[in-house]
Amino acid sequence: MAKVTIQKLQEMKNKGEKISYITAYDYGQATLVEKSGIEMILVGDSMSMTMLGNDSTVPLSTDAMIHHIKAVVKGAQTPMIVGDLVFGSYNESSKQAIRSANRLIKEGGCDTVKLEGCMPEVVARMVEGGIGVQGHIGLTPQTAGLLGGFKLQGKNLDAAKKIIDQAKSLEQAGAFSIVVECVPEELGRAITNAVSIPVIGIGAGRYCDGQVLVYHDLLGLFDKFAPKFVKKYANIGEQVVKALEEYKQEVKDVKFPSDEYVFGGLSKDDLKGFL
Ligand code: KIV
C-alpha cells in the first residue's frame, strides 16, 4: 500500500471519502494499526496519561515524544504519522516551534506535526520552513484549564464563530488539516464547510471529513474516565485481566507449565543423586 500523503488526504476530502485516524504510541500498537488500513496515526501527547500515568498531557517532554515516535515509525509504513508537539515546545516563538518540529521529524521520523491552539503566524512560518502542520482547536487538552476543564466548546454563537474563524486562519496559514475536539455536531459541520482542508473530529459529530480516537479509549485499555464521544469497540483491558488471573491461578495450582510447555532431554535416572 502506498504511503498516505497530504495530497491523498485532500483528495479524500474532495471526494467525500471519510478519513480514519487513531493514536498509537509504540511499535506493537503501530503494527496493528498498519494491518487495519487506518489512514493516519497520531503519536499523541495523550500518551502522557494513557502510557505514562500522568494526570494531564502537560508534563510530557519532546525527548519522550521522540522516543515513542521512533517506535511507531518502525511499526507502520502506510499511514501518515503525525507527531504531537508537546506543551511548552512551541508557544514561545516560531523559531522554537520550528526547532521542536524539526526534532520530531528528523530524530523521530514522523511525517508531519500537530499543534494545539490558533497561532497562525507560527503555523505560517513552520509551513514556509517545509513542515506539514495539522491544527487542533475546540477543546485543547494542553490548556484545558483555561477553557473551564474538559468541557464542550463553542456552545453559543459567539464562541462558535470564534472557532470557525480560528479554522479559517489556520487554513490560510497553510495547515494541511485541522483536528476539532469536543464541539456541538452542527459546529463541527460548519467548520468542515468553512474550510477546504480536511477537518478531523473527535467529539465533533458526524459531518467532519474524518474521525480520530485515542487507541486506549477505543479498545477499553484506559478506565480513569471516558468522554461521551468515545465508542469502546472492544474491551481488551478486561480480557487481559482475565488472562492474567487465569495464569496466576495455574501457577499456584502447578497446572502451568503442563507437558506441552516443558523440555525433555534428560530423564530422572540421568539425574539420580541430584533429585
Ligand atoms: O494527543 C491526542 O491523543 C490528541 C487527540 C485527542 C486528538 O491530541
Side-chain angles (χ1 to χ4, degrees), residues 23 25 42 44-46 84 114 116 136 141 179 181 202 212 214:
T23 65
Y25 317 103
L42 172 65
D45 62 0
S46 48
D84 223 358
K114 174 170 85 60
E116 292 186 12
H136 182 161
V179 168
E181 180 164 353
I202 173 162
V212 57
V214 167

mmCIF file with all atom_site columns, all heavy atoms in Angstrom, residues 23 25 42 44-46 84 114 116 136 141 179 181 202 212 214, ligand 1:
data_model
loop_
_atom_site.group_PDB
_atom_site.id
_atom_site.type_symbol
_atom_site.label_atom_id
_atom_site.label_alt_id
_atom_site.label_comp_id
_atom_site.label_asym_id
_atom_site.label_entity_id
_atom_site.label_seq_id
_atom_site.pdbx_PDB_ins_code
_atom_site.Cartn_x
_atom_site.Cartn_y
_atom_site.Cartn_z
_atom_site.occupancy
_atom_site.B_iso_or_equiv
_atom_site.pdbx_formal_charge
_atom_site.auth_seq_id
_atom_site.auth_comp_id
_atom_site.auth_asym_id
_atom_site.auth_atom_id
_atom_site.pdbx_PDB_model_num
ATOM   1   N N   . THR A 1 23  ? -4.731  7.250  17.551 1.00 0.00 ? 23  THR A N   1
ATOM   2   C CA  . THR A 1 23  ? -3.419  7.425  18.186 1.00 0.00 ? 23  THR A CA  1
ATOM   3   C C   . THR A 1 23  ? -2.727  6.063  18.275 1.00 0.00 ? 23  THR A C   1
ATOM   4   O O   . THR A 1 23  ? -3.376  5.018  18.266 1.00 0.00 ? 23  THR A O   1
ATOM   5   C CB  . THR A 1 23  ? -3.540  7.993  19.619 1.00 0.00 ? 23  THR A CB  1
ATOM   6   O OG1 . THR A 1 23  ? -4.208  7.050  20.447 1.00 0.00 ? 23  THR A OG1 1
ATOM   7   C CG2 . THR A 1 23  ? -4.280  9.321  19.631 1.00 0.00 ? 23  THR A CG2 1
ATOM   8   N N   . TYR A 1 25  ? 1.274   4.631  20.177 1.00 0.00 ? 25  TYR A N   1
ATOM   9   C CA  . TYR A 1 25  ? 2.409   5.152  20.927 1.00 0.00 ? 25  TYR A CA  1
ATOM   10  C C   . TYR A 1 25  ? 3.610   4.208  20.947 1.00 0.00 ? 25  TYR A C   1
ATOM   11  O O   . TYR A 1 25  ? 4.649   4.564  21.501 1.00 0.00 ? 25  TYR A O   1
ATOM   12  C CB  . TYR A 1 25  ? 2.004   5.429  22.372 1.00 0.00 ? 25  TYR A CB  1
ATOM   13  C CG  . TYR A 1 25  ? 0.658   6.089  22.527 1.00 0.00 ? 25  TYR A CG  1
ATOM   14  C CD1 . TYR A 1 25  ? -0.463  5.364  22.921 1.00 0.00 ? 25  TYR A CD1 1
ATOM   15  C CD2 . TYR A 1 25  ? 0.495   7.448  22.265 1.00 0.00 ? 25  TYR A CD2 1
ATOM   16  C CE1 . TYR A 1 25  ? -1.699  5.960  23.066 1.00 0.00 ? 25  TYR A CE1 1
ATOM   17  C CE2 . TYR A 1 25  ? -0.741  8.056  22.404 1.00 0.00 ? 25  TYR A CE2 1
ATOM   18  C CZ  . TYR A 1 25  ? -1.837  7.308  22.810 1.00 0.00 ? 25  TYR A CZ  1
ATOM   19  O OH  . TYR A 1 25  ? -3.051  7.908  22.950 1.00 0.00 ? 25  TYR A OH  1
ATOM   20  N N   . LEU A 1 42  ? -1.741  9.310  14.982 1.00 0.00 ? 42  LEU A N   1
ATOM   21  C CA  . LEU A 1 42  ? -1.228  10.414 15.787 1.00 0.00 ? 42  LEU A CA  1
ATOM   22  C C   . LEU A 1 42  ? -0.430  9.835  16.949 1.00 0.00 ? 42  LEU A C   1
ATOM   23  O O   . LEU A 1 42  ? -0.974  9.060  17.749 1.00 0.00 ? 42  LEU A O   1
ATOM   24  C CB  . LEU A 1 42  ? -2.399  11.245 16.347 1.00 0.00 ? 42  LEU A CB  1
ATOM   25  C CG  . LEU A 1 42  ? -2.014  12.327 17.357 1.00 0.00 ? 42  LEU A CG  1
ATOM   26  C CD1 . LEU A 1 42  ? -1.151  13.405 16.705 1.00 0.00 ? 42  LEU A CD1 1
ATOM   27  C CD2 . LEU A 1 42  ? -3.257  12.948 17.988 1.00 0.00 ? 42  LEU A CD2 1
ATOM   28  N N   . GLY A 1 44  ? 0.165   10.841 19.852 1.00 0.00 ? 44  GLY A N   1
ATOM   29  C CA  . GLY A 1 44  ? -0.439  11.944 20.593 1.00 0.00 ? 44  GLY A CA  1
ATOM   30  C C   . GLY A 1 44  ? 0.176   12.136 21.964 1.00 0.00 ? 44  GLY A C   1
ATOM   31  O O   . GLY A 1 44  ? 0.663   11.182 22.585 1.00 0.00 ? 44  GLY A O   1
ATOM   32  N N   . ASP A 1 45  ? 0.093   13.387 22.442 1.00 0.00 ? 45  ASP A N   1
ATOM   33  C CA  . ASP A 1 45  ? 0.594   13.622 23.796 1.00 0.00 ? 45  ASP A CA  1
ATOM   34  C C   . ASP A 1 45  ? -0.349  13.024 24.838 1.00 0.00 ? 45  ASP A C   1
ATOM   35  O O   . ASP A 1 45  ? -0.053  13.029 26.032 1.00 0.00 ? 45  ASP A O   1
ATOM   36  C CB  . ASP A 1 45  ? 0.857   15.114 24.038 1.00 0.00 ? 45  ASP A CB  1
ATOM   37  C CG  . ASP A 1 45  ? -0.390  15.952 23.924 1.00 0.00 ? 45  ASP A CG  1
ATOM   38  O OD1 . ASP A 1 45  ? -1.480  15.409 23.650 1.00 0.00 ? 45  ASP A OD1 1
ATOM   39  O OD2 . ASP A 1 45  ? -0.283  17.187 24.121 1.00 0.00 ? 45  ASP A OD2 1
ATOM   40  N N   . SER A 1 46  ? -1.476  12.456 24.392 1.00 0.00 ? 46  SER A N   1
ATOM   41  C CA  . SER A 1 46  ? -2.348  11.700 25.309 1.00 0.00 ? 46  SER A CA  1
ATOM   42  C C   . SER A 1 46  ? -1.575  10.527 25.919 1.00 0.00 ? 46  SER A C   1
ATOM   43  O O   . SER A 1 46  ? -1.999  9.970  26.931 1.00 0.00 ? 46  SER A O   1
ATOM   44  C CB  . SER A 1 46  ? -3.606  11.216 24.590 1.00 0.00 ? 46  SER A CB  1
ATOM   45  O OG  . SER A 1 46  ? -3.284  10.603 23.363 1.00 0.00 ? 46  SER A OG  1
ATOM   46  N N   . ASP A 1 84  ? 2.891   14.802 17.799 1.00 0.00 ? 84  ASP A N   1
ATOM   47  C CA  . ASP A 1 84  ? 2.242   15.892 18.543 1.00 0.00 ? 84  ASP A CA  1
ATOM   48  C C   . ASP A 1 84  ? 3.314   16.770 19.193 1.00 0.00 ? 84  ASP A C   1
ATOM   49  O O   . ASP A 1 84  ? 4.182   16.253 19.914 1.00 0.00 ? 84  ASP A O   1
ATOM   50  C CB  . ASP A 1 84  ? 1.384   15.256 19.657 1.00 0.00 ? 84  ASP A CB  1
ATOM   51  C CG  . ASP A 1 84  ? 0.030   15.898 19.798 1.00 0.00 ? 84  ASP A CG  1
ATOM   52  O OD1 . ASP A 1 84  ? -0.266  16.862 19.074 1.00 0.00 ? 84  ASP A OD1 1
ATOM   53  O OD2 . ASP A 1 84  ? -0.746  15.398 20.639 1.00 0.00 ? 84  ASP A OD2 1
ATOM   54  N N   . LYS A 1 114 ? 1.430   18.051 14.718 1.00 0.00 ? 114 LYS A N   1
ATOM   55  C CA  . LYS A 1 114 ? 0.179   18.698 15.123 1.00 0.00 ? 114 LYS A CA  1
ATOM   56  C C   . LYS A 1 114 ? 0.484   19.634 16.285 1.00 0.00 ? 114 LYS A C   1
ATOM   57  O O   . LYS A 1 114 ? 1.329   19.327 17.115 1.00 0.00 ? 114 LYS A O   1
ATOM   58  C CB  . LYS A 1 114 ? -0.846  17.647 15.557 1.00 0.00 ? 114 LYS A CB  1
ATOM   59  C CG  . LYS A 1 114 ? -2.136  18.233 16.127 1.00 0.00 ? 114 LYS A CG  1
ATOM   60  C CD  . LYS A 1 114 ? -3.209  17.199 16.318 1.00 0.00 ? 114 LYS A CD  1
ATOM   61  C CE  . LYS A 1 114 ? -3.111  16.452 17.629 1.00 0.00 ? 114 LYS A CE  1
ATOM   62  N NZ  . LYS A 1 114 ? -3.211  17.289 18.829 1.00 0.00 ? 114 LYS A NZ  1
ATOM   63  N N   . GLU A 1 116 ? -1.614  22.400 19.159 1.00 0.00 ? 116 GLU A N   1
ATOM   64  C CA  . GLU A 1 116 ? -2.898  22.863 19.687 1.00 0.00 ? 116 GLU A CA  1
ATOM   65  C C   . GLU A 1 116 ? -2.992  24.386 19.665 1.00 0.00 ? 116 GLU A C   1
ATOM   66  O O   . GLU A 1 116 ? -1.979  25.084 19.819 1.00 0.00 ? 116 GLU A O   1
ATOM   67  C CB  . GLU A 1 116 ? -3.072  22.371 21.135 1.00 0.00 ? 116 GLU A CB  1
ATOM   68  C CG  . GLU A 1 116 ? -3.239  20.864 21.233 1.00 0.00 ? 116 GLU A CG  1
ATOM   69  C CD  . GLU A 1 116 ? -3.554  20.379 22.647 1.00 0.00 ? 116 GLU A CD  1
ATOM   70  O OE1 . GLU A 1 116 ? -3.861  21.207 23.528 1.00 0.00 ? 116 GLU A OE1 1
ATOM   71  O OE2 . GLU A 1 116 ? -3.491  19.148 22.851 1.00 0.00 ? 116 GLU A OE2 1
ATOM   72  N N   . HIS A 1 136 ? -5.233  22.086 15.815 1.00 0.00 ? 136 HIS A N   1
ATOM   73  C CA  . HIS A 1 136 ? -6.108  21.391 16.778 1.00 0.00 ? 136 HIS A CA  1
ATOM   74  C C   . HIS A 1 136 ? -6.831  22.474 17.566 1.00 0.00 ? 136 HIS A C   1
ATOM   75  O O   . HIS A 1 136 ? -6.209  23.206 18.334 1.00 0.00 ? 136 HIS A O   1
ATOM   76  C CB  . HIS A 1 136 ? -5.252  20.502 17.685 1.00 0.00 ? 136 HIS A CB  1
ATOM   77  C CG  . HIS A 1 136 ? -6.027  19.700 18.698 1.00 0.00 ? 136 HIS A CG  1
ATOM   78  N ND1 . HIS A 1 136 ? -5.494  18.588 19.329 1.00 0.00 ? 136 HIS A ND1 1
ATOM   79  C CD2 . HIS A 1 136 ? -7.284  19.830 19.212 1.00 0.00 ? 136 HIS A CD2 1
ATOM   80  C CE1 . HIS A 1 136 ? -6.380  18.070 20.170 1.00 0.00 ? 136 HIS A CE1 1
ATOM   81  N NE2 . HIS A 1 136 ? -7.482  18.825 20.125 1.00 0.00 ? 136 HIS A NE2 1
ATOM   82  N N   . PRO A 1 141 ? -6.572  19.931 25.031 1.00 0.00 ? 141 PRO A N   1
ATOM   83  C CA  . PRO A 1 141 ? -6.269  19.375 26.354 1.00 0.00 ? 141 PRO A CA  1
ATOM   84  C C   . PRO A 1 141 ? -5.072  20.015 27.056 1.00 0.00 ? 141 PRO A C   1
ATOM   85  O O   . PRO A 1 141 ? -5.075  20.124 28.285 1.00 0.00 ? 141 PRO A O   1
ATOM   86  C CB  . PRO A 1 141 ? -6.014  17.889 26.062 1.00 0.00 ? 141 PRO A CB  1
ATOM   87  C CG  . PRO A 1 141 ? -6.808  17.612 24.825 1.00 0.00 ? 141 PRO A CG  1
ATOM   88  C CD  . PRO A 1 141 ? -6.732  18.877 24.017 1.00 0.00 ? 141 PRO A CD  1
ATOM   89  N N   . VAL A 1 179 ? -7.709  19.271 13.464 1.00 0.00 ? 179 VAL A N   1
ATOM   90  C CA  . VAL A 1 179 ? -8.485  18.433 14.395 1.00 0.00 ? 179 VAL A CA  1
ATOM   91  C C   . VAL A 1 179 ? -9.402  19.371 15.186 1.00 0.00 ? 179 VAL A C   1
ATOM   92  O O   . VAL A 1 179 ? -8.957  20.420 15.659 1.00 0.00 ? 179 VAL A O   1
ATOM   93  C CB  . VAL A 1 179 ? -7.558  17.667 15.368 1.00 0.00 ? 179 VAL A CB  1
ATOM   94  C CG1 . VAL A 1 179 ? -8.342  17.033 16.513 1.00 0.00 ? 179 VAL A CG1 1
ATOM   95  C CG2 . VAL A 1 179 ? -6.764  16.592 14.623 1.00 0.00 ? 179 VAL A CG2 1
ATOM   96  N N   . GLU A 1 181 ? -11.981 19.306 18.428 1.00 0.00 ? 181 GLU A N   1
ATOM   97  C CA  . GLU A 1 181 ? -12.326 18.427 19.552 1.00 0.00 ? 181 GLU A CA  1
ATOM   98  C C   . GLU A 1 181 ? -13.475 19.001 20.383 1.00 0.00 ? 181 GLU A C   1
ATOM   99  O O   . GLU A 1 181 ? -13.472 20.174 20.753 1.00 0.00 ? 181 GLU A O   1
ATOM   100 C CB  . GLU A 1 181 ? -11.082 18.226 20.444 1.00 0.00 ? 181 GLU A CB  1
ATOM   101 C CG  . GLU A 1 181 ? -11.365 17.329 21.642 1.00 0.00 ? 181 GLU A CG  1
ATOM   102 C CD  . GLU A 1 181 ? -10.102 16.785 22.318 1.00 0.00 ? 181 GLU A CD  1
ATOM   103 O OE1 . GLU A 1 181 ? -8.987  16.983 21.793 1.00 0.00 ? 181 GLU A OE1 1
ATOM   104 O OE2 . GLU A 1 181 ? -10.260 16.144 23.382 1.00 0.00 ? 181 GLU A OE2 1
ATOM   105 N N   . ILE A 1 202 ? -13.095 14.883 16.817 1.00 0.00 ? 202 ILE A N   1
ATOM   106 C CA  . ILE A 1 202 ? -13.098 13.978 17.975 1.00 0.00 ? 202 ILE A CA  1
ATOM   107 C C   . ILE A 1 202 ? -14.137 14.594 18.913 1.00 0.00 ? 202 ILE A C   1
ATOM   108 O O   . ILE A 1 202 ? -13.927 15.660 19.478 1.00 0.00 ? 202 ILE A O   1
ATOM   109 C CB  . ILE A 1 202 ? -11.690 13.797 18.602 1.00 0.00 ? 202 ILE A CB  1
ATOM   110 C CG1 . ILE A 1 202 ? -11.784 12.998 19.904 1.00 0.00 ? 202 ILE A CG1 1
ATOM   111 C CG2 . ILE A 1 202 ? -10.924 15.093 18.802 1.00 0.00 ? 202 ILE A CG2 1
ATOM   112 C CD1 . ILE A 1 202 ? -10.468 12.387 20.381 1.00 0.00 ? 202 ILE A CD1 1
ATOM   113 N N   . VAL A 1 212 ? -11.058 10.936 14.685 1.00 0.00 ? 212 VAL A N   1
ATOM   114 C CA  . VAL A 1 212 ? -9.877  10.426 15.400 1.00 0.00 ? 212 VAL A CA  1
ATOM   115 C C   . VAL A 1 212 ? -10.320 9.996  16.798 1.00 0.00 ? 212 VAL A C   1
ATOM   116 O O   . VAL A 1 212 ? -11.203 10.622 17.395 1.00 0.00 ? 212 VAL A O   1
ATOM   117 C CB  . VAL A 1 212 ? -8.731  11.482 15.468 1.00 0.00 ? 212 VAL A CB  1
ATOM   118 C CG1 . VAL A 1 212 ? -9.146  12.781 16.115 1.00 0.00 ? 212 VAL A CG1 1
ATOM   119 C CG2 . VAL A 1 212 ? -7.499  10.911 16.175 1.00 0.00 ? 212 VAL A CG2 1
ATOM   120 N N   . VAL A 1 214 ? -8.638  7.997  20.591 1.00 0.00 ? 214 VAL A N   1
ATOM   121 C CA  . VAL A 1 214 ? -7.454  7.534  21.318 1.00 0.00 ? 214 VAL A CA  1
ATOM   122 C C   . VAL A 1 214 ? -7.496  5.998  21.392 1.00 0.00 ? 214 VAL A C   1
ATOM   123 O O   . VAL A 1 214 ? -8.516  5.411  21.761 1.00 0.00 ? 214 VAL A O   1
ATOM   124 C CB  . VAL A 1 214 ? -7.428  8.172  22.733 1.00 0.00 ? 214 VAL A CB  1
ATOM   125 C CG1 . VAL A 1 214 ? -6.412  7.496  23.638 1.00 0.00 ? 214 VAL A CG1 1
ATOM   126 C CG2 . VAL A 1 214 ? -7.146  9.672  22.626 1.00 0.00 ? 214 VAL A CG2 1
HETATM 127 O O1  . KIV B 2 .   ? -2.978  13.524 21.961 1.00 0.00 ? 1   KIV B O1  1
HETATM 128 C C1  . KIV B 2 .   ? -4.055  13.135 21.482 1.00 0.00 ? 1   KIV B C1  1
HETATM 129 O O2  . KIV B 2 .   ? -4.456  11.973 21.637 1.00 0.00 ? 1   KIV B O2  1
HETATM 130 C C2  . KIV B 2 .   ? -4.871  14.086 20.745 1.00 0.00 ? 1   KIV B C2  1
HETATM 131 C C3  . KIV B 2 .   ? -6.214  13.619 20.284 1.00 0.00 ? 1   KIV B C3  1
HETATM 132 C C4  . KIV B 2 .   ? -7.188  13.870 21.367 1.00 0.00 ? 1   KIV B C4  1
HETATM 133 C C5  . KIV B 2 .   ? -6.624  14.243 19.004 1.00 0.00 ? 1   KIV B C5  1
HETATM 134 O O3  . KIV B 2 .   ? -4.481  15.193 20.559 1.00 0.00 ? 1   KIV B O3  1
#
